[in-house]
Amino acid sequence: MAVSESATETVAAGPPPATTGFIGWMRRNLFSGIWNTLLTLVAAYLLFVIIPPVASWLFIDAVWSEAPPETCKAAHGACWAFIREKHRVIFFGRYPFFEHWRPLLGMGLLITMVMASCFRRFWRPWIALVWAGGLGAFFLVMWGGAIPISYRTAAIAAAAVALVIGLRQSNGGMRSLMLWLALLFAALILAGGAVIRVLDAVVKELFGVDDALAPLAGVWFEIPTGLSFVPTSLWGGLPLTLLLSILGIMVAFPLAILLALGRRSKLPLIRMFCVGYIELIRGVPLISLLFVGSFLLPLFLPRGVEIADLARAQVAIIGFSAAYLAEVIRGGLQAIPRGQYEAADALGLSYWQKMAKIVLPQAIVLVIPPIVNTFIGLFKDTSLVSIVSLTDLLLSTKDMAIGDVNWRAFYAEGYTFIALIYFVFCFFMSKYSQYLERQFETGRRKRR
Amino acid sequence: MEPIITMRGVDKWYGQFHVLKQINLDVQAREKIVICGPSGSGKSTLIRCINRLEEHQRGQIIVDGVELTNDLKHIEQIRREVGMVFQHFNLFPHMTVIENLALAPIWVRKMPKAAAEERAMQMLKRVRIAEQAYKYPGQLSGGQQQRVAIARSLCMSPKIMLFDEPTSALDPEMIKEVLDVMIELAREGMTMLVVTHEMGFAKSVADRVIFMDEGQIVEQNAPHEFFGNPKSDRTKLFLSQILGH
């Protein structure tokens, strides 16, 4: 038949020339019409104007070797000798120079734990213990000095033990008893001092003995570490930025889940509290929260209670990000069809089982991209702590490196360098989010 | 004998809309009831009140000796004993078939995981779909998904099964495989309340057919009487509409 003959001919002849290969690709994508051709030409011109000078500043004319500032001033390109000279203070801020191995070790520890946690096969309950141990080791090596053992340490240990025992119990009554105990000990970590003072007053009232329990409130004994003590006010640079971001993400995320669930709760009091918190926090800039934490909060704390600058900034970052994340997660919750809730209800699952097993796993997967978006925002927002005089990566670069009179001219190099560092971490997060999406996509969403 | 479900003077409103009007219904253990009626007549709402997916506002519902009130303990106790199959299956898409089945026995009945999965496999064999155990729901056909949903309910060893239009979202060629499973279940003596338009199923399986309209039970009777000798005009009209072509 004529038709099939001509069809065979076409197949044999192959596609018309210049629709495949490099030229075909160019035709389709760059020169497919007058406007596209024009845009291509304009873009090409702009690249031609921008790339050569940037490349020669960054690479070709740059000073790469160790050199004094005078050599750099004579050169036309970037002064990477500046970074060579100052990289240690950029990375570690005001941390004592000869102890830099400690923040380096701590930073390595944090990065290793983050990397390991990225693998799905490590997503087991024991990874929480690894993190607890790793963070403990981080603070140990960063602080050094002697480890004070006080009611607070005891309460932390007791809460951890009760939590582990509670989670391993299969008996419902025992389990909830242990979990309540854990919560009680956790409350003591924060309010132990006040509790001891109240007990003290009671003892005085009953037996007339002054300050019977006061010794409990102080440090019981100390374990020396053999390292010199470095207070958190001297911590700085990249380890500080990483610590603020990682702890921020780890604490803000579960908090945000509770806030999101609370906002959809049937109980008016819980709902109002969550709505109020989220709207209030979202309504103010992070900077103002940092100021409140640093300057206002100490005025309201009872005498004798001191919280380090670092902790106050950390709390502000956590509280701020949690409010944003809560709204992102709420978006995910709303996308879950009602049938899923009903099926879980009909099977007799409790509220928390329904949320933990059915609703949240689906809701969170749906909102991975905006969650990671918030994480990236949080990571970069940690640079705002510089205004409450914490020497994070940005401030260590500005004050410690560029602040050096001899090198003052090379601020562009300094900022370019840390921009690159910020970019590497953010790019990693973005890529990891895409990987996660692919992981959860496979097999599951293939609907009819 | 004490009925396993008792509804006395049950009223329910959606806002101003009176969806259930003075419902009185006793269901005996092992009884199979088919509920039919035009859409919007309240038949789905009726069975959804039995496991408290919907709340009734007046009257009394007693299931297996436990009265449904706002008491969460009672609600969870009843839900453990009452299985439900939905029109749109409502399988959990992020879990494999076997995980869907073992979930409630593990978390609600506190069964060890191995025992729960063994029971899940038995139930999958019962609905003839054991070979799909490790797939995700999204990879199955509608009929297969609905059979998985039935098996998921059976894993909890319920005393009562509620079916809310189990075949109306299925392609015609898949309806039979689901009905076959339901017929088998009925033969084994399960107490069943089925909202459906499958009149063949009603004729062959039901002990009683209930016709609802505008929130009321208009007529109820054994199937041969119901289909052969309907009493009210509304029932006659309804039957002529769904059987008469």
Side-chain angles (χ1 to χ4, degrees):
Chain A
M1 242 167 79
V3 178
S4 72
E5 259 169 44
S6 74
T8 328
E9 251 168 54
T10 323
V11 172
T19 58
T20 57
F22 182 63
I23 298 199
W25 182 89
M26 294 242 291
R27 264 203 191 161
R28 265 197 317 281
N29 294 296
L30 299 178
F31 300 102
S32 60
I34 294 176
W35 280 109
N36 267 348
T37 309
L38 213 62
L39 277 175
T40 303
L41 291 176
V42 169
Y45 174 72
L46 284 178
L47 288 176
F48 174 74
V49 171
I50 292 167
I51 287 182
V54 170
S56 66
W57 186 80
L58 277 174
F59 305 111
I60 301 162
D61 294 338
V63 179
W64 290 90
S65 56
E66 231 167 285
E70 291 71 35
T71 320
C72 276
K73 279 179 189 140
H76 294 289
C79 177
W80 300 127
F82 168 60
I83 304 298
R84 261 176 189 265
E85 171 77 18
K86 294 290 182 189
H87 68 278
R88 282 180 64 170
V89 290
I90 289 177
F91 275 124
F92 303 125
R94 287 154 63 200
Y95 206 91
F97 194 80
F98 293 104
E99 303 284 335
H100 275 177
W101 65 272
R102 286 159 59 180
L104 182 66
L105 184 66
M107 192 168 79
L109 207 60
L110 289 181
I111 293 177
T112 311
M113 285 196 295
V114 168
M115 290 301 211
S117 308
C118 286
F119 294 102
R120 259 182 100 179
R121 87 178 99 118
F122 292 147
W123 295 3
R124 298 270 175 272
W126 50 256
I127 201 157
L129 291 177
V130 173
W131 270 96
L135 285 173
F138 176 85
F139 281 104
L140 197 73
V141 79
M142 289 293 281
W143 257 318
I147 309 166
I149 302 296
S150 65
Y151 72 85
R152 210 166 257 157
T153 333
I156 291 173
V161 169
L163 191 67
V164 170
I165 294 178
L167 289 180
R168 293 183 68 92
Q169 283 294 331
S170 51
N171 177 336
M174 244 340 240
R175 189 183 167 105
S176 51
L177 176 72
M178 280 298 165
L179 294 182
W180 278 111
L181 268 180
L183 209 63
L184 181 74
F185 287 129
L188 277 181
I189 298 169
L190 292 173
V195 171
I196 289 168
R197 272 198 299 281
V198 169
L199 287 178
D200 240 5
V202 172
V203 168
K204 193 179 173 191
E205 203 55 40
L206 291 178
F207 306 104
V209 186
D210 258 344
D211 294 339
L213 296 168
L216 279 180
V219 174
W220 299 348
F221 59 90
E222 293 184 328
I223 303 171
T225 58
L227 299 171
S228 62
F229 176 66
V230 180
T232 50
S233 53
L234 291 182
W235 297 11
L238 190 54
L240 182 73
T241 294
L242 289 178
L243 180 72
L244 286 170
S245 323
I246 291 170
L247 274 186
I249 287 171
M250 280 173 58
V251 184
F253 190 58
L255 212 60
I257 290 177
L258 291 180
L259 282 169
L261 291 177
R263 191 163 186 170
R264 287 165 59 85
S265 165
K266 285 199 191 97
L267 307 172
L269 211 65
I270 292 182
R271 193 174 55 237
M272 271 157 53
F273 172 80
C274 293
V275 171
Y277 177 85
I278 291 170
E279 295 306 336
L280 193 73
I281 297 289
R282 281 202 307 173
V284 296
L286 177 56
I287 288 197
S288 62
L289 283 182
L290 288 168
F291 273 128
V292 168
S294 300
F295 304 124
L296 278 179
L297 194 65
L299 300 180
F300 297 117
L301 287 176
R303 213 152 18 115
V305 178
E306 267 182 52
I307 305 177
D309 283 359
L310 176 63
R312 288 185 298 222
Q314 182 76 77
V315 168
I317 288 172
I318 288 169
F320 185 76
S321 315
Y324 277 88
L325 265 181
E327 285 298 276
V328 168
I329 292 170
R330 189 167 68 98
L333 290 176
Q334 275 167 351
I336 304 303
R338 222 177 76 173
Q340 295 288 307
Y341 290 84
E342 288 180 348
D345 283 338
L347 286 169
L349 296 178
S350 71
Y351 174 82
W352 290 108
Q353 288 170 340
K354 172 172 67 177
M355 290 304 161
K357 300 283 161 191
I358 309 300
V359 178
L360 284 170
Q362 296 184 62
I364 288 174
V365 167
L366 280 179
V367 290
I368 286 175
I371 285 178
V372 175
N373 209 17
T374 315
F375 285 172
I376 289 177
L378 183 155
F379 178 69
K380 291 184 297 186
D381 280 353
T382 57
S383 59
L384 287 174
V385 299
S386 57
I387 62 138
V388 292
S389 56
L390 286 172
T391 324
D392 78 311
L393 187 58
L394 182 65
L395 191 64
S396 68
T397 309
K398 180 168 164 267
D399 278 9
M400 311 281 301
I402 300 166
D404 185 335
V405 194
N406 297 322
W407 297 93
R408 187 150 281 174
F410 306 108
Y411 59 89
E413 287 83 344
Y415 290 131
T416 307
F417 181 63
I418 60 164
L420 184 70
I421 296 176
Y422 276 111
F423 176 78
V424 166
F425 281 96
C426 293
F427 189 67
F428 167 76
M429 283 193 259
S430 148
K431 279 285 151 198
Y432 182 63
S433 120
Q434 288 165 15
Y435 161 82
L436 273 187
E437 274 179 77
R438 277 197 306 278
Q439 281 280 304
F440 288 113
E441 215 60 29
T442 44
R444 294 190 178 178
R445 312 231 163 255
K446 228 174 76 187
R447 295 192 195 276
R448 283 177 307 139
Chain B
M1 215 174 85
E2 185 80 0
I4 195 164
I5 302 172
T6 306
M7 300 176 98
R8 273 196 212 108
V10 172
D11 274 301
K12 176 170 179 61
W13 288 263
Y14 287 130
Q16 289 299 307
F17 180 57
H18 201 170
V19 47
L20 292 180
K21 297 172 187 161
Q22 284 294 308
I23 299 289
N24 290 298
L25 178 66
D26 282 334
V27 181
Q28 300 295 330
R30 304 172 73 84
E31 198 177 4
K32 294 114 193 71
I33 296 181
V34 164
I35 304 168
C36 58
S39 67
S41 60
K43 46 196 196 309
S44 286
T45 310
L46 175 76
I47 66 165
R48 287 160 60 89
C49 279
I50 293 171
N51 64 351
R52 196 67 165 191
L53 288 185
E54 305 283 353
E55 214 171 297
H56 61 285
Q57 280 123 4
R58 208 190 287 159
Q60 212 181 12
I61 302 178
I62 300 166
V63 181
D64 197 24
V66 180
E67 183 172 357
L68 270 173
T69 57
N70 279 324
D71 188 335
L72 217 61
K73 280 244 158 35
H74 286 178
I75 296 174
E76 285 179 4
Q77 192 182 343
I78 287 172
R79 283 175 176 168
R80 279 198 288 273
E81 307 305 332
V82 179
M84 185 162 209
V85 175
F86 299 87
Q87 181 179 6
H88 295 288
F89 333 131
N90 295 352
L91 294 175
F92 305 131
H94 61 302
M95 297 177 176
T96 59
V97 165
I98 192 141
E99 285 167 347
N100 263 277
L101 267 66
L103 179 83
I106 291 172
W107 290 96
V108 180
R109 291 250 189 256
K110 311 287 178 203
M111 257 199 212
K113 189 166 179 248
E117 285 184 351
E118 201 186 307
R119 177 161 179 79
M121 278 314 277
Q122 283 170 10
M123 291 303 128
L124 284 177
K125 280 188 190 124
R126 197 162 153 187
V127 300
R128 292 180 288 276
I129 203 165
E131 71 282 1
Q132 314 283 5
Y134 297 98
K135 287 194 182 163
Y136 285 95
Q139 296 167 298
L140 306 183
S141 74
Q144 289 172 323
Q145 288 194 50
Q146 193 60 299
R147 284 186 282 151
V148 170
I150 294 172
R152 179 173 71 178
S153 287
L154 292 178
C155 278
M156 288 290 284
S157 322
K159 291 181 179 156
I160 303 163
M161 286 281 283
L162 309 173
F163 292 83
D164 188 2
E165 308 208 21
T167 55
S168 52
L170 295 176
D171 294 337
E173 76 269 21
M174 292 168 183
I175 291 178
K176 188 175 175 299
E177 64 187 59
V178 172
L179 287 181
D180 284 347
V181 168
M182 289 169 62
I183 290 168
E184 220 175 279
L185 199 60
R187 299 249 155 85
E188 287 162 22
M190 176 65 74
T191 310
M192 292 163 72
L193 279 85
V194 186
V195 172
T196 186
H197 294 129
E198 295 295 330
M199 290 303 130
F201 174 80
K203 278 176 190 161
S204 66
V205 173
D207 298 314
R208 189 165 21 140
V209 181
I210 292 177
F211 174 68
M212 283 186 77
D213 192 23
E214 294 180 352
Q216 286 171 311
I217 295 180
V218 174
E219 184 167 351
Q220 48 179 323
N221 224 327
H224 61 94
E225 272 295 300
F226 181 86
F227 292 109
N229 189 15
K231 304 215 164 39
S232 92
D233 290 340
R234 269 188 290 177
T235 316
K236 284 176 196 161
L237 179 67
F238 176 74
L239 286 176
S240 75
Q241 277 164 345
I242 62 167
L243 297 173
H245 49 89

